[in-house]
């Protein structure tokens, strides 16, 4: 049996108005991501990687086509419905961690779970498990400013998967890290994806990391094509 498709982009279009001109970034993107799969998105700056990830992650609406998550067409849902789906089914990791500075590592990972309705003790237990898995349990009570760049990104990844999403979308998650740290963070990320049966689409400029994923795609003329 073929692996279950968790994310599908169907003829997705994204255009920006640039003064009088219409700038076409995504021009009918077809793409599927299956459970358990890790896919690298490798393309030069300005080709639309972030646009693609934001659209797939329901942070932006497609101008045409649709985004189907877990079998559900999401492009035309209300903002409230899209927010709920983002909270439950999508984990997003940015190049910069975006952790809340006044909260500790463990609290940052508890937050999305409590927003979803978990009790604090349940959320803390799960957060500690994730920190342990990412091998930074000792840093649980540190605030983001008291963590190294690699540790910050590991916390951000743990936070992104705290609610056991269907899909993990990462926009150059190791882009700010030195090569050695990038490899450690990627090791932790891929172990998590493998262990949880998540699916991940990861934009990266790092060809070594891309080579370690299941397949590689790029953006060419507004389409996603194999690399
Ligand atoms: P990448 O992540 O691959 O560097 P982006 O998706 O950020 O690319 O951007 C793709 C193109 O779309 C770029 O040329 C960028 O300038 C343009 N763009 C992105 N966001 C906007 C916006 N809000 N308004 C106008 N143009 C935008
Ligand atoms: Mg980008």
């Amino acid at each position: 049996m073929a692996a279950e498709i968790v994310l599908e982009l169907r003829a997705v279009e994204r255009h920006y108005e640039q003064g009088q001109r219409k700038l076409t970034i995504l021009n009918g993107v077809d793409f599927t991501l299956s459970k358990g799969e890790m896919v690298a998105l490798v393309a030069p700056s300005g080709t639309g990687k972030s646009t693609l990830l934001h659209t797939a992650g329901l942070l932006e609406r497609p101008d045409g086509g649709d985004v189907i998550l877990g079998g559900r067409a999401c492009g035309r849902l209300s903002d409230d419905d899209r927010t709920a789906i983002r909270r439950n089914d999508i984990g997003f990791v940015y190049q910069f961690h975006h952790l809340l500075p006044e909260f500790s590592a463990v609290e940052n990972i508890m937050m999305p779970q409590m927003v979803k309705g978990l009790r604090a003790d349940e959320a803390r237990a799960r957060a500690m498990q994730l920190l342990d898995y990412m091998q930074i349990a000792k840093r649980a009570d540190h605030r983001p400013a008291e963590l190294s760049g690699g540790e910050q990104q590991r916390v951000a990844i743990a936070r992104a998967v705290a609610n056991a999403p269907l899909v993990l979308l990462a926009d150059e998650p190791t882009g700010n890290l030195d090569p050695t740290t990038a490899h450690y963070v990627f090791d932790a990320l891929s172990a998590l994806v493998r262990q949880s049966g998540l699916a991940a689409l990861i934009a990266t400029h790092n060809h070594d990391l891309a080579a370690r994923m299941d397949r590689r795609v790029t953006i060419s003329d507004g389409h996603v094509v194999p690399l």
Side-chain angles (χ1 to χ4, degrees):
M1 202 182 80
E4 180 191 339
I5 292 172
V6 291
L7 169 69
E8 181 174 0
L9 273 62
R10 221 176 262 171
V12 165
E13 292 177 34
R14 279 294 280 145
H15 314 281
Y16 294 116
E17 302 293 334
Q18 189 73 273
Q20 302 285 53
R21 276 187 337 127
K22 190 171 90 168
L23 203 61
T24 293
I25 308 302
L26 305 179
N27 194 20
V29 165
D30 292 314
F31 174 75
T32 59
L33 187 67
S34 298
K35 194 170 160 61
E37 195 177 36
M38 281 182 96
V39 177
L41 175 60
V42 185
S45 281
T47 48
K49 298 182 298 298
S50 296
T51 301
L52 178 75
L53 290 167
H54 292 166
T55 308
L58 311 188
L59 293 160
E60 295 177 25
R61 279 181 192 278
D63 298 309
D66 213 339
V67 175
I68 294 122
L69 247 160
R72 186 173 183 195
C74 297
R76 272 159 286 279
L77 293 176
S78 69
D79 286 344
D80 284 352
D81 284 345
R82 289 161 61 86
T83 301
I85 293 171
R86 270 209 311 277
R87 187 160 63 223
N88 294 317
D89 295 333
I90 300 168
F92 211 102
V93 180
Y94 299 87
Q95 184 169 359
F96 179 73
H97 60 75
H98 290 296
L99 296 170
L100 298 172
E102 66 274 32
F103 292 97
S104 68
V106 69
E107 287 166 346
N108 266 281
I109 304 167
M110 290 169 66
M111 210 74 72
Q113 302 178 74
M114 294 180 67
V115 169
K116 191 179 168 179
L118 258 72
R119 290 197 321 261
D121 59 332
E122 295 169 322
R124 182 175 293 274
R126 162 100 176 139
M128 285 308 301
Q129 211 174 31
L130 285 167
L131 283 170
D132 194 35
Y133 203 83
M134 301 302 275
Q135 301 189 339
I136 44 169
K138 280 192 210 140
R139 301 284 180 272
D141 296 322
H142 289 225
R143 291 184 183 191
E146 301 159 352
L147 298 169
S148 72
E151 289 167 345
Q152 289 167 345
Q153 279 308 67
R154 280 188 270 177
V155 176
I157 292 163
R159 179 185 55 177
V161 301
N163 284 339
L166 284 174
V167 177
L168 180 68
L169 302 168
D171 197 353
E172 305 187 36
T174 62
N176 280 334
L177 307 175
D178 65 79
T180 307
T181 306
H183 269 278
Y184 281 122
V185 170
F186 183 77
D187 285 344
L189 170 64
S190 54
L192 197 66
V193 172
R194 300 302 186 199
Q195 175 260 356
S196 60
L198 211 87
L201 177 60
I202 302 170
T204 182
H205 286 291
N206 186 321
H207 286 271
D208 293 336
L209 299 186
R212 293 173 53 192
M213 299 194 217
D214 299 315
R215 62 191 166 96
R216 285 142 292 282
V217 295
T218 190
I219 300 174
S220 174
D221 290 333
H223 293 90
V224 169
V225 295
L227 187 68

